[in-house]
Amino acid sequence: MEQYQTLEHDVVVIGAGGAGLRAAIEASAAGCTVALVCKSLLGKAHTVMAEGGMAAAMANVDDRDSWKVHFADTMRGGQYLNNWRMAQLHAQEAPARVRELEAWGAVFDRTKDGRILQRNFGGHRYPRLAHVGDRTGLEMIRTLQDHGIHQGIDVFMEMTVVSLLKDGDRVVGALGYDRERGRFRVWKAKAVVLATGGVGKAFRITSNSWEYTGDGHALAYEAGADLLDMEFVQFHPTGMVWPPSVRGILVTEGVRGEGGVLRNKDGRRFMFDDIPDNYKNQTARDEEEGWRYVTGDKNANRPPELLTRDHVARCINREVKAGRGSPHGGVFLDIAWIKEKVANSEEHIKKKLPSMYHQFITLANIDITKVPMEVGPTTHYIMGGVRVDGDTQMSTVPGLFAAGEVAAGLHGANRLGGNSLSDLVVFGKRAGEYAAKWAKEKGAGTTNSAQVEEAMRLALAPFDRGDGGGGGENAFAVQSDLQGTMQDLVGIVRTENEMLRAIEEVGQLKSRAAKVGVSGHREYNPGWHTAIDLHNLLTVSEAIARAAVERKESRGAQFREDFPEKSAECAKFNLILRKGADGQMKVVREPVKPLPSDLQQIIDENK
Amino acid sequence: MAGQTKNTSSTGASDRAPRTFRVWRGDGQGGKFHDYSTEVGEGMVVLDAIHQIQAESAPDLACRWNCKAGKCGSCSAEINGQPRLMCMTRMDQLPPEGPVTVEPMRAFPAIRDLVTDVSHNFRAKKSIKKFSPRKPDAPDGTWRMQQADVDRVQEFRKCIECFLCQDVCHVLRDHHKHEEFVGPRLFVYTAALEMHPLDTENRLGDLKNKHGLGYCNITKCCTKVCPEHITITDNSIIPLKERVVDEFYDPLTRLFRIFKPAK
């Protein structure tokens, strides 16, 4: 019989990016014992990749800003499918979360009068993003990490959770293994917080790291929780396209916020050619007005490069498909041109975009202060995730909470840049707070050893099929084929037939995944880890495809070539995915909750 | 465009040629180099080659990585003997001939293949007194700080905790003073706290007595390997040494301390 170690905590947090760390800090501050379990070393989570900043209506740079405008911007970006309660809380609480980070040691860039500087970003009406150059995510994670290590949180690094444990309907713990030795552990807990991030590794071209395999989505789904809005996957318009090995790595929107412009191979600023009606009166009429906007003229409108990400991504896609792209299949993003406007522009660019400069000079041998970059769309973020209560962040399964990218609701059909970092801390705090409250009120449940043993057997099965069982399928090959299916058939432009084919292919890949064999030992064995990740990736891929088929319209991040317009009918529901009694995935329409009149009024006033 | 010579296809499939990678494999008990051949192409970095080797011929080859863009500091290793991030080391920066050696950081205990036990760094950080701001003193209940006053601290806060500076530091690497010496990364961390305009804590006594600042003899090896180009020695370690000297060895201060005990 496989052995395992059992640990007991009040609250277990799975994932140690911004949301997980913030949840752990809050639960711990509330007097709970907390275990923080993460797949990587502490401080390496995907949050470090966030570049542009953290949206919060502090009105430090433009005093017309307020939580109401931020709320209206977020709802517009999400095409009104957002959980409005989350959008409200997020806009109201983000400024306090930024100030809290400063009180914990974060050093944001400053305004001339010594306050926290805020920058422009796509879809935000006023300069709203608190930032540190283009490494804001690193600043956030390091601040939370350095604060958290003095809080008495038990951190379990390089451990993967493979199953949630239940007592009746309620989640009462988690089973995982350490990646160093492959030994199993059970964390018994009164409440569990998922903060596992996203699903980017389901696609071939992504800005996400290996960790982004939809673990939390799949754990919640298997535990009986509802997933919501899974059709909405954000393709960031600007990822690197060359050299091949870095294809997909993010190029921050901050480049455009600082005046970077998009051009096709003919030198045309094609973004001016297609401005959606609902953004027309907030978009610059010409290049000169766009420049005035990025340099702080309050009377100017934003350049079309700062329209929402889905729109910019599709415009780039269109240019490339029409043969007007750059040599390596992207378009040009030019920040070097500002030398016409700014004295000492090279130093200015290096100061404002240091890691972009560094990334391009090192990986592509391109000096962005002198020549344009080549960029193209990359899978970046999933708006969908675990359905949660807006105030408490509890899922539809008692005792299971979710925060950050793994949770759904705040962003609706599309997320605005900068709203992710603020999401992490606003709802990370709330998840920690309410998980602690739940833990104190409900006490401990009972874990079931048969559940644990079955989950361990499943996790170890690939070894039986490996060296001893004739080899089996190669986990990397199955993952690579899945990425191809999702990239080609459920990507930035979607059609019914292709997606139905994708669902069929995912079914076939599931059969292959069940035959994956792994050789060697259990210590840091990437083949084994990939075999386990595959299950999660297949679950989220199926959910994305099924929801995308069901939504027969183009809205937010979803673009359907066969239904290129928005539909009034589809505006009325969100899509829920849950595991049916027969073990099959079910898609259910959930009516959108009507907005209270005070919030509706805010939206109308900010149209 | 600079750096784009022959290959204009978007796949990079052309110009690929086999290359030998001599990778250290083993664990805490010992190990040896194994040769793997894999095809390398335009723009590839060493981490790409390691991933290819995993997928093609050594699925159990252990290595850490995350962001693949030089931001997370996970994939530190010694490439041809130099401490570097595997994700930021392009193949065309290495000599075109002969095998490429890849081995784990040698200043830390080996766990498996390219993965080392870096827990020293996390323990050492915990021993440093945390950020302790003065009371908010602006009318809105926060603080004011000028950009010029935070530039230096922001330089230190660029650190991605790759621990290459720790790897190359001879006090750790050759003299194994892990228990008495926190190392360059943690001096940068301490300097960021000490020079933070809001911080009120005093860490100079700990630097001198607990954290081994005196062991550093300013060879600047750490600065040379920093992928974030933080001027570790000149901007953090030397100023900290000066502050310690001022606090504990300045004759006037010592005289003064006879009447007023040190905090």
Side-chain angles (χ1 to χ4, degrees):
Chain A
M1 178 55 61
E2 183 67 29
Q3 298 294 307
Y4 60 91
Q5 186 190 3
T6 304
L7 301 148
E8 287 190 43
H9 291 85
D10 294 328
V11 176
V12 170
V13 179
I14 305 170
L21 274 163
R22 188 64 191 82
I25 287 169
E26 194 66 17
S28 166
C32 285
T33 56
V34 178
L36 180 61
V37 186
C38 49
K39 288 212 284 194
S40 287
L41 296 174
L42 190 63
K44 307 296 184 198
H46 207 62
T47 304
V48 299
M49 294 291 283
E51 293 164 350
M54 172 176 181
M58 297 191 291
N60 285 358
V61 171
D62 192 320
D63 57 14
R64 291 172 296 180
D65 204 9
S66 71
W67 78 261
K68 292 178 180 178
V69 186
H70 190 185
F71 166 77
D73 287 349
T74 301
M75 294 294 291
R76 186 195 298 112
Q79 300 282 323
Y80 307 102
L81 288 183
N82 322 53
N83 175 329
W84 49 260
R85 178 64 178 158
M86 286 173 77
Q88 177 190 16
L89 290 170
H90 170 254
Q92 288 172 332
E93 294 176 4
R97 297 284 81 76
V98 175
R99 288 194 281 268
E100 177 179 81
L101 287 174
E102 182 166 78
W104 292 348
V107 184
F108 292 100
D109 287 354
R110 317 307 297 180
T111 63
K112 286 207 170 67
D113 66 347
R115 294 188 293 171
I116 293 171
L117 181 61
Q118 301 186 268
R119 69 156 51 120
N120 285 309
F121 234 58
H124 293 279
R125 186 153 195 173
Y126 301 118
R128 190 176 282 148
L129 270 66
H131 62 276
V132 186
D134 55 4
R135 55 164 192 86
T136 316
L138 173 66
E139 188 71 14
M140 172 184 277
I141 201 164
R142 200 66 81 228
T143 301
L144 292 170
Q145 173 191 346
D146 294 347
H147 184 78
I149 57 172
H150 296 287
Q151 295 271 113
I153 298 162
D154 290 330
V155 182
F156 299 87
M157 297 187 215
E158 302 195 304
M159 299 199 190
T160 299
V161 170
V162 294
S163 186
L164 297 175
L165 304 173
K166 289 182 78 177
D167 179 3
D169 283 343
R170 181 185 164 193
V171 166
V172 290
L175 168 74
Y177 66 90
D178 66 272
R179 300 171 80 87
E180 183 180 332
R181 297 264 181 265
R183 293 165 302 201
F184 286 96
R185 274 183 181 73
V186 164
W187 290 273
K188 294 174 77 165
K190 297 164 186 168
V192 172
V193 179
L194 296 174
T196 51
V199 307
K201 279 291 158 191
F203 294 81
R204 194 191 305 123
I205 299 174
T206 176
S207 63
N208 296 172
S209 79
W210 66 267
E211 293 196 286
Y212 264 38
T213 49
D215 297 9
H217 293 77
L219 288 169
Y221 172 81
E222 295 295 340
D226 286 355
L227 301 182
L228 179 76
D229 294 339
M230 291 295 285
E231 67 274 34
F232 296 119
V233 176
Q234 183 175 79
F235 299 92
H236 194 289
T238 57
M240 292 177 80
V241 297
W242 187 93
S245 70
V246 297
R247 191 167 189 128
I249 290 178
L250 194 65
V251 179
T252 177
E253 192 167 323
V255 176
R256 286 168 282 146
E258 298 295 343
V261 300
L262 291 166
R263 295 186 198 279
N264 63 21
K265 74 170 183 170
D266 307 321
R268 185 173 176 80
R269 267 182 85 176
F270 55 88
M271 289 306 301
F272 274 105
D273 300 340
D274 181 4
I275 297 165
D277 288 340
N278 59 336
Y279 281 97
K280 275 225 160 85
N281 49 19
Q282 290 181 26
T283 306
R285 274 152 304 178
D286 52 35
E287 302 193 7
E288 194 52 39
E289 183 179 357
W291 173 251
R292 282 194 285 119
Y293 176 86
V294 297
T295 47
D297 182 342
K298 290 182 184 179
N299 297 314
N301 285 312
R302 71 173 75 106
E305 277 85 359
L306 291 176
L307 287 163
T308 52
R309 289 175 171 180
D310 58 297
H311 180 75
V312 180
R314 275 195 301 279
C315 289
I316 293 174
N317 207 46
R318 183 192 63 210
E319 292 303 307
V320 174
K321 280 200 170 162
R324 295 190 292 266
S326 65
H328 299 96
V331 295
F332 294 107
L333 172 60
D334 188 4
I335 184 75
W337 81 276
I338 69 168
K339 60 178 174 273
E340 298 167 20
K341 301 278 188 183
V342 181
N344 209 3
S345 67
E346 294 189 10
E347 285 315 305
H348 177 81
I349 293 167
K350 284 182 199 169
K351 168 73 190 164
K352 290 289 184 180
L353 302 161
S355 53
M356 280 306 103
Y357 174 77
H358 185 51
Q359 184 173 312
F360 273 87
I361 202 89
T362 310
L363 293 173
N365 208 11
I366 299 254
D367 182 345
I368 67 169
T369 69
K370 296 195 170 72
V371 293
M373 299 158 249
E374 280 186 80
V375 296
T378 179
T379 311
H380 184 52
Y381 188 88
I382 186 159
M383 276 62 74
V386 179
R387 181 189 187 188
V388 291
D389 174 77
D391 287 82
T392 66
Q393 298 290 291
M394 191 158 86
S395 71
T396 51
V397 171
L400 181 64
F401 299 75
E405 189 171 351
V406 70
L410 170 61
H411 310 294
N414 205 0
R415 175 176 73 81
L416 299 184
N419 270 1
S420 182
L421 286 184
S422 42
D423 174 12
L424 304 184
V425 280
V426 167
F427 293 105
K429 176 187 184 290
R430 282 186 164 266
E433 179 182 341
Y434 286 94
K437 190 163 176 276
W438 174 274
K440 284 177 187 167
E441 284 170 12
K442 305 291 171 180
T446 314
T447 51
N448 173 340
S449 58
Q451 250 183 63
V452 174
E453 278 154 24
E454 174 62 11
M456 289 193 302
R457 190 188 64 74
L458 281 175
L460 290 174
F463 284 107
D464 301 336
R465 296 186 288 263
D467 288 338
E473 284 271 0
N474 178 321
F476 296 107
V478 179
Q479 187 188 40
S480 167
D481 289 350
L482 174 65
Q483 289 166 341
T485 295
M486 293 302 286
Q487 185 77 35
D488 297 340
L489 304 179
V490 199
I492 193 163
V493 175
R494 298 170 173 176
T495 64
E496 187 103 2
N497 285 340
E498 287 186 345
M499 290 193 291
L500 292 174
R501 214 170 89 213
I503 292 171
E504 204 181 302
E505 288 184 18
V506 168
Q508 290 157 3
L509 289 164
K510 275 187 185 169
S511 320
R512 283 176 61 193
K515 297 187 200 112
V516 160
V518 174
S519 59
H521 47 76
R522 285 199 218 167
E523 299 167 16
Y524 280 115
N525 185 330
W528 183 36
H529 301 161
T530 303
I532 287 175
D533 293 343
L534 261 182
H535 170 79
N536 304 328
L537 283 172
L538 286 161
T539 304
V540 295
S541 297
E542 183 182 352
I544 293 166
R546 285 195 186 280
V549 167
E550 182 70 11
R551 182 168 292 283
K552 298 188 193 318
E553 66 162 346
S554 294
R555 177 183 298 274
Q558 154 135 311
F559 184 75
R560 296 258 322 231
E561 209 164 48
D562 44 357
F563 298 97
E565 303 298 326
K566 269 189 266 193
S567 116
E569 189 52 36
C570 293
K572 293 179 186 155
F573 60 82
N574 294 90
L575 292 172
I576 285 173
L577 298 116
R578 67 170 71 105
K579 194 172 187 172
D582 57 357
Q584 299 299 306
M585 190 177 281
K586 301 277 184 286
V587 188
V588 181
R589 291 182 178 197
E590 175 80 9
V592 172
K593 266 205 232 163
L595 271 167
S597 58
D598 56 331
L599 294 182
Q600 185 61 53
Q601 196 186 337
I602 293 170
I603 287 173
D604 294 341
E605 284 166 5
N606 286 283
K607 275 255 154 76
Chain B
M1 213 174 279
Q4 296 171 24
T5 46
K6 294 166 281 190
N7 179 12
T8 51
S9 80
S10 60
T11 59
S14 57
D15 289 351
R16 291 174 70 88
R19 191 75 195 264
T20 301
F21 287 80
R22 188 158 287 169
V23 184
W24 191 88
R25 303 217 44 190
D27 56 26
Q29 310 305 310
K32 58 185 172 56
F33 286 97
H34 289 245
D35 283 359
Y36 299 94
S37 179
T38 193
E39 285 198 339
V40 300
E42 191 184 16
M44 264 177 75
V45 293
V46 171
L47 183 60
D48 293 321
I50 295 293
H51 284 160
Q52 258 176 228
I53 291 166
Q54 283 177 339
E56 292 163 359
S57 51
D60 60 350
L61 168 62
C63 91
R64 281 194 183 105
W65 69 285
N66 255 22
C67 75
K68 217 173 166 293
K71 293 179 200 298
C72 77
S74 299
C75 63
S76 306
E78 298 185 7
I79 299 165
N80 287 348
Q82 297 296 314
R84 305 181 76 148
L85 295 176
M86 288 192 281
C87 73
M88 296 299 268
T89 305
R90 283 164 55 119
M91 290 303 302
D92 57 14
Q93 295 168 331
L94 301 173
E97 303 300 327
V100 177
T101 64
V102 186
E103 53 193 310
M105 288 193 287
R106 294 302 192 183
F108 301 109
I111 294 179
R112 166 70 70 177
D113 306 337
L114 302 177
V115 177
T116 57
D117 177 1
V118 293
S119 58
H120 158 77
N121 303 294
F122 292 93
R123 283 193 303 275
K125 187 186 256 188
K126 225 169 165 172
S127 75
I128 295 165
K129 287 178 190 161
K130 66 187 275 193
F131 176 64
S132 174
R134 68 170 190 257
K135 282 212 168 68
D137 46 15
D140 59 358
T142 64
W143 300 271
R144 297 288 177 270
M145 287 185 271
Q146 291 306 312
Q147 185 61 46
D149 297 328
V150 299
D151 278 342
R152 176 57 47 83
V153 177
Q154 287 187 331
E155 181 198 354
F156 300 151
R157 292 182 67 89
K158 289 195 303 187
C159 171
I160 57 173
E161 300 199 331
C162 64
F163 308 129
L164 290 174
C165 58
Q166 307 282 77
D167 183 45
V168 81
C169 176
H170 62 97
V171 183
L172 296 172
R173 189 184 180 99
D174 301 326
H175 304 287
H176 311 290
K177 296 281 186 195
H178 293 74
E179 296 308 313
E180 304 155 64
F181 180 75
V182 294
R185 158 59 192 140
L186 282 311
F187 292 135
V188 169
Y189 175 70
T190 309
L193 291 166
E194 284 289 301
M195 297 180 200
H196 194 302
L198 305 182
D199 186 69
T200 58
E201 189 58 81
N202 184 334
R203 299 170 187 81
L204 299 179
D206 284 352
L207 278 172
K208 173 174 168 284
N209 302 318
K210 267 170 73 180
H211 296 148
L213 184 64
Y215 281 120
C216 168
N217 56 357
I218 320 184
T219 52
K220 302 197 182 189
C221 309
C222 49
T223 304
K224 283 187 201 115
V225 299
C226 179
E228 285 294 312
H229 308 292
I230 301 169
T231 35
I232 302 174
T233 325
D234 289 0
N235 286 354
S236 74
I237 296 180
I238 292 173
L240 288 177
K241 280 177 175 276
E242 287 168 353
R243 289 180 184 207
V244 167
V245 168
D246 286 349
E247 177 96 356
F248 297 101
Y249 302 104
D250 180 71
L252 275 175
T253 312
R254 288 175 88 174
L255 187 66
F256 188 62
R257 200 177 290 123
I258 295 171
F259 304 105
K260 187 177 172 234
K263 41 182 168 171

